Amino acid sequence: MRIRQLESFVCICELGSITRAAAALNIVQPALGAQISALEDELGVRLLKRGRRGTAMTPAGEYFLVEARKLLAHVADVKKSIKSFAENEKEHLSIGLTGSLSAMLAGTLARELSHLSDSISVQLVEDMSHILRDRVAQGDLDFALAYNVADHKAIRKQPVLREAVFFITSPNSPFGEDKPITMPELTNATFVIPTEKGQIIQLLKEAMVEFDLPLNVAFQIESMDAIKGLITDGTACAVLPFGTVAREVKAGTLIARRIVNPPLTRTLFLLRPVTQFQTRAMHLAQTTIERSIASLAESFAFERID
């Protein structure tokens, strides 16, 4: 059983297709198929079912996927730890943040982590919460701060803060009052949203459905700058985390109104791989991250989870 076979198997399972996995791994499809066939022959069991609609796991394949991820995470940890024995070799740490957290924490974290040691290099990665979760599970990230993530056997998940999500509007709009807004009042607003798959819009939609309230979405735009432009000129409103618009609120071009009755919140989690070997650098990095989290708790947008 080879590491390359495990990586190939996991990639096929995640993409649901040998063709897409071959493209992602930059190898020809017959070679990838041969790798999996050899792995199945060695294990003496079928792992994948090939069909017209793609590739699906057998029950044995579902079990093996969990174990393969554990093995790959362990191999990644061994590689990282063994480098600490090499002279002048820096230990590399990678930390994931969501976009809104990156706006508030990236600069501070980069400065503080850079002072940890001359033997440590740090990379900050920005992505959506569910992608950060998957990358931690795969061992690509040593830590991540992500919201409302589902449980995963390969992840240690620690709730750290609860964040309020805000109704964002222009001072010149009919909603331009600097005070809380109730959920029923949101029915009168015209919304612009980043993406249907975004976590915030899903929170809003679920809340509106729960209270049987209509939601008027007029615009769906990927560009956050374009979204802020529509809000600034009064064309639309949005529901966003405070960190996304902190600069504009401070400058007075946007207003962030807390949503009440009921409040709209999400939970921030600190994620680590279960199989992670805790080096001194990782311990120092975690302490630094936790200190940054504590500073966020002082903001009106966050509250601690005891």
Side-chain angles (χ1 to χ4, degrees), residues 35 46 67 80 171 183 234 247 261 263 271 282:
Q35 283 187 30
R46 288 282 300 279
E67 300 304 317
K80 182 174 293 185
M183 192 73 71
R247 292 180 181 177
N261 297 331
L271 310 179
M282 290 180 184

Side-chain angles (χ1 to χ4, degrees), residues 83-155:
K83 287 183 178 180
S84 64
F85 292 93
E87 291 185 9
N88 301 322
E89 184 70 32
K90 287 192 173 185
E91 182 176 352
H92 178 74
L93 296 179
S94 45
I95 301 169
L97 301 170
T98 64
S100 61
L101 281 176
S102 182
M104 292 184 287
L105 284 184
T108 301
L109 272 179
R111 285 192 300 273
E112 294 194 12
L113 291 170
S114 67
H115 299 317
L116 288 182
S117 171
D118 291 337
S119 61
I120 300 171
S121 66
V122 178
Q123 177 188 20
L124 297 180
V125 176
E126 182 181 315
D127 219 319
M128 298 177 71
S129 287
H130 69 279
I131 296 176
L132 293 176
R133 166 191 173 271
D134 291 344
R135 293 190 63 179
V136 172
Q138 294 163 11
D140 290 341
L141 296 175
D142 298 296
F143 301 95
L145 288 170
Y147 291 97
N148 289 10
V149 291
D151 292 338
H152 194 292
K153 291 181 179 179
I155 291 176

Side-chain angles (χ1 to χ4, degrees), residues 205-238:
K205 284 185 173 181
E206 289 169 8
M208 298 295 268
V209 168
E210 181 180 352
F211 292 91
D212 195 27
L213 298 171
L215 179 64
N216 179 19
V217 176
F219 308 97
Q220 182 174 334
I221 303 174
E222 292 299 327
S223 167
M224 186 54 65
D225 286 339
I227 289 172
K228 291 179 184 178
L230 286 175
I231 303 172
T232 301
D233 66 19
T235 303
C237 303

Side-chain angles (χ1 to χ4, degrees), residues 132-197:
L132 293 176
R133 166 191 173 271
D134 291 344
R135 293 190 63 179
V136 172
Q138 294 163 11
D140 290 341
L141 296 175
D142 298 296
F143 301 95
L145 288 170
Y147 291 97
N148 289 10
V149 291
D151 292 338
H152 194 292
K153 291 181 179 179
I155 291 176
R156 288 190 179 94
K157 187 177 98 171
Q158 175 188 351
V160 288
L161 293 175
R162 187 171 291 106
E163 181 187 26
V165 180
F166 290 81
F167 176 76
I168 310 301
T169 187
S170 164
N172 301 318
S173 81
F175 303 95
E177 301 177 82
D178 192 5
K179 65 178 186 178
I181 186 169
T182 65
M183 192 73 71
E185 288 180 275
L186 300 185
T187 61
N188 300 316
T190 298
F191 282 93
V192 56
I193 63 174
T195 169
E196 284 290 335
K197 295 181 180 179

Side-chain angles (χ1 to χ4, degrees), residues 20-82:
R20 289 195 292 270
L25 295 168
N26 198 28
I27 61 176
V28 295
Q29 188 173 334
L32 180 57
Q35 283 187 30
I36 301 304
S37 295
L39 180 61
E40 292 176 325
D41 290 343
E42 181 179 352
L43 296 174
V45 65
R46 288 282 300 279
L47 299 174
L48 299 173
K49 295 181 291 187
R50 289 87 167 170
R52 293 174 62 186
R53 295 186 177 181
T55 305
M57 290 176 282
T58 65
E62 292 177 357
Y63 169 80
F64 189 70
L65 175 61
V66 174
E67 300 304 317
R69 283 174 169 159
K70 289 180 184 177
L71 289 169
L72 290 173
H74 181 64
V75 169
D77 281 341
V78 170
K79 286 181 178 179
K80 182 174 293 185
S81 299
I82 203 69

